[in-house]
Amino acid sequence: MREDSLPSEPRNRTPPLSLGRLHYAWVVAVTGSIAMFCGLGLGRFAFGMLLPSMSASLALSYTQSGILGFANLIGYLVAVLLSPLILPRFGTRLTGTASLVVIAASMLGMAFTTSFPMLCAFYVLTGIGSGGVVLPMMSVMSHWFFPSHRGLALGLVMAGPGFGIILSGFVVPKLLPFFSLLSWQTGWLIFALINIVVACLTFALIRNHPDDVTRSPFGRVPTSPVKNKKNLERSNLKLLVHLGVIFAIYGATYMVYVTFIVTSMVGSYQLSEAAAGSIWAWIGLLSVFSGMLFGWISDHIGRRLGLALAFFFLAIAYLLIGLTDWHLGLYLSIILFGFVVWSVPVIMAACAGDYFGAAAAASALAALTFAFSGGQALGPVAAGYLAELTGDFRISYMVSGLAAFVAIGLALLLQPQKPL
């Protein structure tokens, strides 16, 4: 039985562009990557670059900075909760396009306000839009790709946010006031316009299912039976919770890093904002390849060992800046973090399709992302509070490193997958 025989998204029969021998699955993956460039790269990770100038002009404390990040994640959680209801009705194409429009509207709002409560409200909307991009673009790959190439395809999708980090790293330090707008407000305005363009591209190219273009999923047809049930089974609840705890640890630790690493570079390491931006751009450059690399690795050695390997590199990256104050440690940490940053989301999205089936992948990924988002929400707030007490984020990075080692143990406790 074909893995895509039980659809969970509405069909759209609008013919795509003629692409010769190129399988349309790769067009969907590349378009998903561009959407993720906006949804995560600009919608979330550009915030870390804009935060120092926002904090300076608005006199924000560490706690308020953490609250802004928390506001974004509240919106993300709302999108996660709504996705299992919205996706089956509207599909990836319409959901992703509408979410990009929401992000653009919220960024326009942030570009024209200096009120902290209003910034929080608009950043909640940005979080809703981000979640409305990420879940559809990741889960639809389970329809378009068989497990043999699913990890690689998801890695390609997760390359998008890396380009967002690169763009923000080079552009944000060069921003200037524009008429009555402050430099960081100019940044949000530029990012809003980019989102509008990408929303149009997403609507033009994304298709919900291979049947929409009379194709089969790309990759090797599995030799073992595949799951086709649309709903999650009770017997899978324990596995879902196990994966959710691992994903929550990743969410909490990586979000501390991406939210405050630029602040740490400027404050603790005494780097200029331009130098910090260049280093931040290096994270983006390395991250472009991290998802594809670890997606490919997990396709070959299994999701379980792939997760353990990813968390090992993350643990070292966190501890290098938590236990040392030398610049070489910072640079090594940046390299390791960029090398592995998108590995865990890619492998988790692949797990959703592999363990629970293509039809239930969106529901499984929504549940996993809810746990992930909970970790993301708690991480920056806790780190901001600890920084208020200690004066920097060193303890938060050390705790993140220890938590990553716990995640390694949890990953190794997963049952090995059967050959596909």
Side-chain angles (χ1 to χ4, degrees):
M1 190 176 188
R2 279 176 53 192
E3 187 173 17
D4 61 326
S5 59
L6 287 178
S8 61
E9 292 195 4
R11 297 290 186 263
N12 184 289
R13 302 297 181 182
T14 307
L17 298 173
S18 177
L19 298 161
R21 293 187 176 183
L22 177 66
H23 198 292
Y24 203 77
W26 294 111
V27 176
V28 174
V30 171
T31 308
S33 182
I34 297 171
M36 293 282 276
F37 157 78
C38 287
L40 278 185
L42 301 183
R44 177 169 299 176
F45 301 124
F47 174 73
M49 274 303 304
L50 290 168
L51 184 57
S53 59
M54 291 176 69
S55 298
S57 63
L58 300 176
L60 301 180
S61 66
Y62 285 138
T63 300
Q64 286 177 309
S65 299
I67 289 173
L68 260 178
F70 180 76
N72 180 266
L73 294 165
I74 290 296
Y76 197 90
L77 282 171
V78 170
V80 169
L81 291 172
L82 294 178
S83 286
L85 302 175
I86 293 174
L87 265 178
R89 174 169 296 200
F90 297 105
T92 294
R93 186 189 188 199
L94 290 179
T95 303
T97 301
S99 297
L100 288 165
V101 173
V102 169
I103 294 174
S106 66
M107 288 179 172
L108 284 173
M110 286 189 287
F112 293 98
T113 185
T114 56
S115 163
F116 179 72
M118 289 302 298
L119 283 173
C120 288
F122 282 125
Y123 212 36
V124 169
L125 287 178
T126 307
I128 292 174
S130 294
V133 171
V134 173
L135 280 170
M137 296 304 161
M138 297 292 277
S139 62
V140 80
M141 295 303 125
S142 293
H143 290 294
W144 278 98
F145 292 88
F146 283 123
S148 63
H149 289 74
R150 189 172 289 157
L152 178 61
L154 286 162
L156 176 58
V157 173
M158 282 304 299
F163 288 107
I165 293 174
I166 293 170
L167 179 69
S168 63
F170 285 117
V171 170
V172 170
K174 297 178 175 61
L175 291 174
L176 297 172
F178 180 72
F179 288 103
S180 62
L181 299 180
L182 300 170
S183 60
W184 58 267
Q185 292 175 303
T186 304
W188 287 126
L189 178 61
I190 293 171
F191 296 157
L193 296 176
I194 294 173
N195 269 271
I196 292 171
V197 173
V198 173
C200 296
L201 184 69
T202 299
F203 184 78
L205 296 179
I206 286 288
R207 295 296 181 272
N208 297 329
H209 200 276
D211 283 353
D212 294 348
V213 292
T214 63
R215 300 295 296 267
S216 297
F218 184 85
R220 279 194 318 273
V221 179
T223 56
S224 57
V226 295
K227 297 178 182 288
N228 287 293
K229 295 187 177 181
K230 293 184 181 182
N231 300 315
L232 298 176
E233 301 172 340
R234 288 183 178 271
S235 60
N236 287 328
L237 182 60
K238 184 177 179 181
L239 172 61
L240 196 63
V241 171
H242 191 150
L243 291 169
V245 171
I246 296 172
F247 212 8
I249 292 174
Y250 169 77
T253 58
Y254 113 102
M255 198 60 189
V256 168
Y257 197 100
V258 300
T259 301
F260 296 115
I261 188 61
V262 174
T263 301
S264 294
M265 285 189 280
V266 173
S268 299
Y269 290 89
Q270 301 299 306
L271 298 178
S272 68
E273 189 173 330
S278 297
I279 295 173
W280 177 249
W282 273 103
I283 293 180
L285 179 62
L286 291 169
S287 73
V288 168
F289 308 101
S290 69
M292 289 183 281
L293 174 62
F294 277 87
W296 178 83
I297 289 173
S298 73
D299 283 341
H300 288 78
I301 69 174
R303 314 302 181 199
R304 167 178 165 266
L305 294 180
L307 279 173
L309 183 63
F311 273 108
F312 174 76
F313 286 117
L314 284 171
I316 301 302
Y318 299 146
L319 292 176
L320 277 170
I321 51 173
L323 296 175
T324 69
D325 58 0
W326 41 299
H327 283 70
L328 180 59
L330 170 67
Y331 300 144
L332 289 174
S333 174
I334 294 293
I335 292 170
L336 283 175
F337 184 79
F339 173 69
V340 77
V341 59
W342 305 137
S343 57
V344 177
V346 164
I347 297 173
M348 280 294 175
C351 285
D354 293 357
Y355 286 124
F356 306 103
S363 297
L365 188 57
L368 292 174
T369 305
F370 185 81
F372 167 65
S373 301
Q376 288 185 100
L378 293 175
V381 173
Y385 176 74
L386 286 174
E388 293 282 2
L389 296 177
T390 63
D392 60 33
F393 295 95
R394 188 166 300 173
I395 292 179
S396 299
Y397 295 133
M398 286 190 286
V399 172
S400 296
L402 295 175
F405 277 112
V406 172
I408 292 173
L410 291 173
L412 293 175
L413 289 175
L414 290 168
Q415 290 295 321
Q417 290 171 271
K418 296 179 181 179
L420 296 169

